[in-house]
Amino acid sequence: PVDQELASNHEHEESLDVQDLRSRYNNYPIVETAALNEDVCERKVQEQFGVQINSLFTLFEVQLLNLNNVAFLVDIYGRGEGKRESDLPDHVGMCYIHADTLRETEGKVEATITSMKHQPIGRLVVDYLVINPVDQLNLDFSASKRIMWSKEWIALDVGHRGLGNSYTNAQHCSNIRENTIASMNDAVLHGADMVEFDVQVSADLVPVIYHEFTLCVQSKTKMGSDIMLEVPVKDLTVDQLHGLKVHHPSEKSAGVKEFVDEDQDH
């Protein structure tokens, strides 16, 4: 990333040493890299010459204060035949990705790679995802554990939707309703290190724990027979969700499933 307010200080530099800039400016963006390769799959702060592209997927994660003030300088380096790993790479080309091309939360951008003599030599295609902070939520990430992994941990036992998916035909299907407090409590009692659950947002913008985008409510036809109506979760308020007897969409065709301990927290 290049802060466009500071770019004039580096007009004569062919490329920028990110670590040098970070040491000079306390708020300079942090860039971490990783690749889908066993040797470099762990995310780490980008070195001066970046990360070697030798896999189908390479990740660049950038933490910055204001996306609108930043352009992304992409330098392309390479080593010719006969050069050793200890030799400095050659600066082959470069391109810029400007912030105004990142218009959506996620998408794809393309940029033309030019040689150091400003001749087009290739094209860079990048899939991007922009994550913005939540308004009025003051977090400084001083205790963030997003990349924490204790050396003493061999593996984590994570409960899926609590104790597990409860609406499949598989033998491992949970007999406690998924994504409920009862299911999460039972997962912990069975030794889970943590539980994963799914969050949707109601019509009045209240987070609710539910996996599917739709749910089913039971109603009656004019003839008096039962019918399942499928409704998007986002179209119901949290009070309506609490007041309705809801069913999983799969129960529309497979029939209503009975669970043990229906009176537990849910």
Side-chain angles (χ1 to χ4, degrees):
V2 181
D3 190 323
Q4 297 181 36
E5 296 177 359
L6 304 175
S8 59
N9 297 329
H10 307 279
E11 290 177 348
H12 303 294
E13 295 187 26
E14 187 177 84
S15 182
L16 304 178
D17 185 341
V18 173
Q19 296 199 27
D20 175 57
L21 289 172
R22 190 178 297 120
S23 65
R24 278 192 267 169
Y25 305 102
N26 293 330
N27 63 345
Y28 204 81
I30 296 174
V31 181
E32 293 182 311
T33 63
L36 194 62
N37 182 290
E38 185 176 356
D39 297 328
V40 289
C41 60
E42 183 175 340
R43 187 167 47 209
K44 63 180 181 179
V45 175
Q46 178 179 248
E47 298 176 353
Q48 180 180 357
F49 298 111
V51 59
Q52 186 173 348
I53 307 298
N54 55 5
S55 68
L56 296 176
F57 178 83
T58 302
L59 168 73
F60 293 87
E61 180 178 301
V62 185
Q63 300 176 45
L64 43 84
L65 296 178
N66 189 344
L67 178 61
N68 294 326
N69 289 342
V70 172
F72 297 89
L73 167 63
V74 182
D75 286 309
I76 311 298
Y77 295 94
R79 289 189 179 90
E81 292 186 8
K83 287 202 171 184
R84 297 168 298 181
E85 287 291 324
S86 57
D87 295 333
L88 290 178
D90 297 321
H91 197 176
V92 178
M94 60 189 294
C95 64
Y96 279 97
I97 298 175
H98 292 275
D100 59 5
T101 63
L102 310 178
R103 298 184 181 92
E104 307 294 335
T105 300
E106 60 179 323
K108 188 188 297 288
V109 294
E110 298 184 11
T112 300
I113 301 172
T114 60
S115 69
M116 305 318 296
K117 295 183 179 180
H118 309 293
Q119 297 296 320
I121 58 173
R123 184 180 63 171
L124 177 71
V125 180
V126 177
D127 294 299
Y128 71 87
L129 172 67
V130 178
I131 301 175
N132 293 309
V134 179
D135 289 340
Q136 301 178 349
L137 188 61
N138 185 21
L139 294 175
D140 60 7
F141 287 96
S142 58
S144 173
K145 297 184 178 181
R146 67 182 181 85
I147 57 173
M148 176 182 174
W149 187 270
S150 172
K151 293 182 179 179
E152 298 177 356
W153 294 346
I154 298 176
L156 285 176
D157 189 353
V158 181
H160 178 220
R161 305 184 196 175
L163 191 61
N165 188 326
S166 56
Y167 291 103
T168 67
N169 295 322
Q171 293 181 354
H172 63 268
C173 186
S174 173
N175 59 355
I176 299 179
R177 193 184 300 273
E178 66 184 44
N179 276 326
T180 61
I181 294 176
S183 180
M184 296 177 194
N185 284 337
D186 213 52
V188 173
L189 291 175
H190 281 79
D193 296 294
M194 60 177 66
V195 293
E196 171 269 348
F197 56 87
D198 307 281
V199 179
Q200 306 287 348
V201 178
S202 67
D204 48 348
L205 303 182
V206 177
V208 294
I209 299 177
Y210 196 74
H211 178 264
E212 310 300 331
F213 291 113
T214 61
L215 52 78
C216 285
V217 293
Q218 201 160 19
S219 184
K220 296 283 188 180
T221 66
K222 291 182 179 180
M223 304 300 294
S225 58
D226 292 332
I227 184 173
M228 286 278 196
L229 300 177
E230 199 163 340
V231 183
V233 176
K234 68 179 181 64
D235 290 347
L236 299 173
T237 66
V238 71
D239 287 339
Q240 290 172 328
L241 289 167
H242 285 159
L244 290 170
K245 177 68 174 179
V246 301
H247 299 278
H248 191 270
S250 65
E251 294 178 286
K252 189 174 182 179
S253 57
V256 175
K257 182 175 180 179
E258 299 294 331
F259 292 96
V260 299
D261 300 325
E262 282 282 10
D263 294 331
Q264 291 191 45
D265 293 334
H266 61 281

